């Protein structure tokens, strides 16, 4: 792979790499870094000018808020106008980890971070590189890193450094940096829970399932479902109907319709891929069609989902026919991302 700014591509094991990255954040530059969910594109979360650079690099509309990442609960508390018991409870159970809480914002949190709203999204990531970076940045700067996923707006999120390079390198500046921390373990974004209203609601399904959250909180799973209006955009950019989208025409279909869909659409799309869960029943597909079997467990499926969508782009697939996963709450995050990948962009 050609990486145009080789000197800016750093493996954290290298001496001084994390300190260098923290310095760059303190100087207002961008640092793409691994988290356990997806790679983030980080900037000093309390500097409006630095956060503005994220929006420019991503091509992201200014009314889409970004999540603030912290290394400890102390930093998290300073970002919220109130820190309710429920936030403390969720932090104790799920942090560090793939959970973002939405709370009323503290006055000093830049408006751009919150997309002009009166709330702020906060998360403590678990990836060791993210944690080291947050600690190092806390020593010399604010210790708060604003970071959306490190991809152009609307594109598939990155789950390894190569994805960041492919999707974003040409939009980064000469002083920006990409930290390579290997493949993300979870593979889909954090679960976003809104704590800013009367009762907790999941705005975006993610790394922690609604079932797991409901168990931890001792509430019914259904009580955590957001009302359709509440989950609507632009509050949550990941909730845009077409998002996480590969370049190919992507279709989500029941298992029994996989083969028929390929047959119907293939003449317009000679380079097709079937992404399936139960592939053994698929007879030999038509020439030019690849079959990619996926893991049967939702966690394992989620881990490789975005890599599959990136690979489909790389092989210039023009048609993706994807088997609908089971209709169970533990598949919610995967189903959500597949639906968005397949949503019409027209
Ligand atoms: O796992 C993740 O959450 C990753 C990693 C890098 O931490 N980040 C991520 O960021 O997915 P992003 O910007 O791609 O998605 C963040 C989502 C957006 O949909 C945004 O609208 C929503 O969080 N969000 C942030 N602050 C919010 C707020 N105050 N109210 C409602 N939604 C908010
Ligand atoms: Mg994103």
């Amino acid at each position: 792979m050609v990486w145009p700014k080789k000197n800016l591509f750093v493996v954290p094991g290298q001496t001084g790499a994390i300190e260098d990255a923290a310095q760059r954040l303190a100087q207002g530059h961008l640092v793409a870094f691994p988290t356990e969910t997806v790679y983030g594109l980080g900037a000093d979360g309390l500097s409006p000018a630095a956060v503005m650079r994220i929006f420019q690099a991503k091509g992201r509309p200014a009314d889409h808020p970004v999540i603030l990442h912290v290394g400890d609960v102390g930093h998290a508390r300073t970002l919220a106008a109130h820190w309710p018991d429920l936030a403390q409870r969720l932090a104790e159970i799920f942090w560090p980890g793939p959970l973002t809480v939405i709370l009323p914002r503290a006055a000093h949190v830049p408006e751009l971070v919150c997309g002009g709203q009166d709330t702020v999204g906060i998360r403590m990531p678990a990836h060791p590189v993210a944690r080291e970076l947050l600690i190092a940045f806390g020593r010399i700067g604010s210790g708060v890193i604003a970071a959306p996923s490190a991809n152009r707006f609307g594109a598939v999120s990155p789950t390894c450094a190569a994805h960041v390079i492919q999707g974003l390198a040409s939009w980064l500046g000469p002083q920006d940096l990409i930290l390579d921390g290997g493949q993300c373990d979870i593979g889909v974004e954090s679960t976003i829970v809104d704590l800013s209203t009367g009762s907790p609601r999941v705005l975006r399904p993610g790394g922690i399932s609604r079932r797991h959250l409901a168990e931890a909180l001792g509430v019914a799973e259904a009580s955590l479902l957001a009302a359709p209006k509440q989950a609507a955009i632009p509050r949550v950019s990941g909730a845009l109907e077409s998002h996480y989208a590969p370049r190919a025409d992507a279709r989500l279909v029941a298992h029994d319709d996989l083969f028929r869909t390929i047959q119907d659409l293939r003449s317009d799309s000679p380079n097709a891929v079937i992404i399936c869960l139960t592939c053994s029943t698929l007879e030999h597909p038509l020439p030019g069609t690849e079959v990619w079997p996926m893991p049967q467990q939702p966690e394992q499926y989620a881990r490789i989902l975005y890599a599959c969508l990136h690979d489909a782009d790389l092989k210039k697939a023009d048609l993706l026919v994807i088997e609908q996963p089971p209709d169970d709450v533990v598949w919610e995050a995967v189903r959500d991302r597949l639906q968005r990948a397949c949503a019409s962009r027209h």
Side-chain angles (χ1 to χ4, degrees):
M1 172 182 326
V2 182
W3 167 231
K5 300 160 188 159
K6 271 202 177 66
N7 53 324
L8 298 183
F9 181 48
V10 171
V11 180
Q14 288 171 9
T15 317
I18 297 280
E19 283 69 22
D20 179 18
Q23 285 288 350
R24 290 182 197 235
L25 287 174
Q27 290 158 5
H29 304 304
L30 301 180
V31 174
F33 63 98
T35 82
E36 72 280 21
T37 57
V38 300
Y39 274 67
L41 180 62
D44 181 348
L46 298 187
S47 158
V51 174
M52 177 60 82
R53 288 222 42 234
I54 295 179
F55 283 78
Q56 288 163 346
K58 278 188 65 99
R60 181 168 173 152
D63 63 349
H64 290 276
V66 294
I67 294 172
L68 293 180
H69 296 68
V70 294
D72 54 65
V73 175
H75 274 92
R77 296 177 80 114
T78 66
L79 301 172
H82 314 286
W83 184 255
D85 290 348
L86 201 51
Q88 184 63 27
R89 185 139 155 238
L90 288 177
E92 280 167 13
I93 299 171
F94 293 110
W95 280 1
L99 182 78
T100 296
V101 294
I102 305 290
L103 288 167
R105 76 175 173 110
H108 69 289
V109 174
E111 256 184 51
L112 189 57
V113 164
C114 308
Q117 304 180 56
D118 52 7
T119 54
V120 59
I122 310 169
R123 141 165 149 82
M124 190 199 297
H127 194 292
V129 173
R131 290 182 61 70
E132 277 180 55
L133 180 62
L134 282 158
I135 291 167
F137 185 46
R139 281 196 292 264
I140 59 165
S142 71
V144 176
I145 303 180
S149 51
N151 52 279
R152 290 283 287 171
F153 183 67
V156 177
S157 301
T159 52
C160 64
H163 296 160
V164 183
I165 294 169
Q166 283 150 17
L168 214 56
S170 51
W171 303 92
L172 296 181
Q175 302 299 320
D176 300 334
L177 191 75
I178 299 173
L179 285 175
D180 182 354
Q183 201 197 322
C184 300
D185 202 34
I186 289 178
V188 291
E189 293 81 352
S190 60
T191 302
I192 300 181
V193 181
D194 189 355
L195 301 180
S196 70
T197 61
S199 54
R201 306 279 178 181
V202 172
L203 297 186
R204 177 179 72 181
I208 292 168
S209 78
R210 192 156 49 85
R211 172 163 302 164
H212 198 176
L213 262 178
E215 280 168 7
L217 293 174
V219 299
E221 282 171 19
S223 78
L224 294 174
L225 277 174
K229 253 207 211 129
Q230 193 182 7
I233 337 317
R235 301 205 78 199
V236 184
S237 75
L240 283 172
E241 196 183 349
S242 169
H243 214 77
Y244 315 105
R247 270 168 282 201
D249 176 11
R251 309 287 176 111
L252 196 56
V253 300
H255 177 264
D256 289 349
D257 296 329
L258 286 172
F259 200 64
R260 194 177 334 126
T261 309
I262 282 284
Q263 272 178 323
D264 289 351
L265 298 176
R266 235 194 114 257
S267 53
D268 298 330
S269 310
N271 198 5
V273 175
I274 302 179
I275 296 180
C276 54
L277 272 165
T278 41
C279 307
S280 54
T281 56
L282 278 181
E283 295 292 304
H284 303 291
L286 301 163
T289 301
E290 291 186 17
V291 178
W292 294 356
M294 296 296 280
Q296 307 282 325
Q297 298 303 318
E299 295 80 13
Q300 288 163 26
Y301 190 118
R303 190 172 300 147
I304 64 166
L305 168 59
Y306 288 156
C308 285
L309 299 181
H310 281 284
D311 287 350
D313 278 349
L314 274 185
K315 78 179 289 291
K316 301 205 183 326
D318 39 29
L319 175 64
L320 294 183
V321 179
I322 307 173
E323 179 175 351
Q324 178 84 54
D327 191 22
D328 184 289
V329 68
V330 296
W331 284 90
E332 199 166 49
V334 166
R335 265 201 323 274
D336 171 80
R337 301 311 189 276
L338 287 176
Q339 277 157 4
R340 296 183 199 293
C342 294
S344 164
R345 273 152 272 165
H346 306 297

